[in-house]
Amino acid sequence: MSRPLHRGARISGSNGSNNDLWDSQMKEKTEKEELDRRGSDQSYFALRFPFRLLLPDNSTPKNGIAENGFASDSLLVGSPRIRQRITMLILKLSLVLIVILALTGSFWWAISISTTSRGHIFRGYRRLQEQLVLDLWDIGELSLGSSRLKELEFCPQDFENHVPCFNVSANLALGYSDGSEYDRVCGHEPRQNCLALAPLNYKIPLRWPTGRDVIWFANVKITAQEVMSSGSLTKRMMMLDEEQISFRSASLMFDGIEDYSHQIAEMIGLRNESNFIHAGVRTILDIGCGYGSFGAHLFSNELLTMCIANYEALGSQVQLTLERGLPAMIASFSSKQLPYPSLSFDMLHCARCGIDWDQKDGIYLIEVDRVLKPGGYFVWTSPLTNFQGVLRTKERKKMGNFFRDFADKLCWEMLSQQDETIVWKKTSKRNCYNSRKPGSGPSLCSKNHDVESPYYQPLQACIAGAQSRRWIPIEERTSWPSRANLNKSELALYGLHPEEVADDTDNWKAAVRNYWSLLSPLIFSDHPKRPGDEDPSPPYNMLRNVLDMNANFGGFNSALLEARKSVWVMNVVPTNGPNYLPLIMDRGFVGVLHDWCESFPTYPRTYDLVHAAGLLSLEIGQQRRCTTLDLFSEIDRLLRPEGWVIFRDTAPLIESARALTSRLKWDARVVEMESNSDERLLICQKPFFKRQAIQS
């Protein structure tokens, strides 16, 4: 007989106890089946939807009695257990719907992505890649322990004027001869990362333009005897006192360079040297330049003269020229092509430069022709040019005949000869080469051998540049300073649009203003004026020699000149980046190709400012043969004491570089850029460590 169940009712007696026991067993069995069923449901959903939502547990107590004393009805729709199950089901279905919508939206976004968006994604990926490399680099540094983070030691004293890659005695031992021992040979000596100290009595160079005519004797490696014995046209100087060397005085002996420049202008058909600009001459390569006096005189006429000479351990022409604040670098004509593009210079000048032009079947003259622009001039001054003089010898007459014949084969025209000076003019017409007799003179280089920008390649015995799209005679180019802004057709030769170059120019104009506003307070706050000095008037001629390690279009150089800064810039185009060096040379600037895993061809303490924009990004993306520390050690070698370095790059790379500067004992500051949050500036200064103080 069934009995009714009443909520809250209790049956007494033994029958009641048996019934209670029976009810309890039935309830436990029912609850166990319910729990098993719920567990299987939850396991099913857990497999289908692996995301769990943390919700409060609204389930009833295990015994099925609520806090109010009433048993819960599991079949009641409004019960907490049912509501929880329904809520969880809705949430899981919603999550599935959201995932489906997200995937669908991503698919349509990927299809409709624009080119600009792809660029943003690539840059984002590049930043992640850079950060990954930097993180791995940091992990490697930490794993090597604190010894890797020590400051670099100072170099031995024989490194004061050391130039890596130029070791004449080692080259002779390796079998180099016939002039090739002066070549630049890298990789045969172990790299030593140390800090080269200045000489014992080194002093900060005098400011421009005073420093052009007077330098400190202790700053260069030369003997007093060499100074007193110097007397050639481009090597004239005198001792002012025990500490200074002068390159100019009131004596008539030192005014010869002005008369000499005037003579060359007249031989070309100009009134004086101030008219070189109007004849299309802006850049001059001075071979064996002496101490840079020819270029120093022409600088006032807005002519830019690059001095090149062999490496010299003592009395270096290049070192003294750079100390005067004039462009110079080590380079040799012996066996390798110069690291300049074809058709680079408006004039080549050789005044007693010591090159035997008639040797090796005229291959040195062919190299002169390669780097000379169409319509450019070659000026040679030497006692050997007196081919028909009273003192002529059989050898001199033979040389004269060779020169005349070979110049004709190169399509050069001899304009004039006066005293010891001869001026030739390179042809402006390409068809001149085809009008020569068959087999007469050097042939035109094939396309495989006509490399526009060779990097220390062997000298070629063929005429290069004649097939170049850049064949534009100097008289047809706009004169300086308009030449710095190439027209639309000229830019098209490099695949560039005027708007692209204009944007680059505007960016660098703003950058130069920012740089100067940052540097000027730092210069005067960190290094107050020395006794006897007066505050320089704007633009604060604290800087003269500038090295741009990643010049791109030459925009930094252009912006400095437009801001009327009294500087010259060595524009370096890395060999592992886009080659815009021909563009830079065509704009009337000077520059060179270089691999920054090798030492730069110059002496220590050369530059007042080293600028590197985007160089770290360029180098980190390559499979390098050197480290960032190698690069920074080379920069330290190139910098003058109290010189400045400006890095401009992405924030992760700048932060990594900042950590490295402490090893070189540089003072460093990170500056945020308002215009671009992805970039930072790292401004560093090399301290002036004196050898006497270090040793004590």
Side-chain angles (χ1 to χ4, degrees), residues 34 58 111 214 272 330 347 444 482 573 589 618 621 623 626:
E34 178 69 18
N58 294 326
I111 292 177
V214 179
N272 53 49
I330 303 171
M347 177 184 289
L444 298 181
S482 300
V573 174
F589 307 144
L618 179 65
Q623 189 144 25
C626 57

Side-chain angles (χ1 to χ4, degrees), residues 94-107:
S94 301
L95 182 59
V96 172
L97 183 61
I98 291 172
V99 171
I100 293 173
L101 291 175
L103 291 175
T104 305
S106 302
F107 175 74

Side-chain angles (χ1 to χ4, degrees), residues 236 256 307 316 324 364 383 402-403 431 544 572 579 613 626 628:
R236 289 175 180 167
C307 160
S316 167
R324 299 180 65 182
Y364 300 142
F402 173 83
F403 239 103
N431 57 12
R544 172 59 187 168
V572 180
N579 181 17
C626 57
T628 307

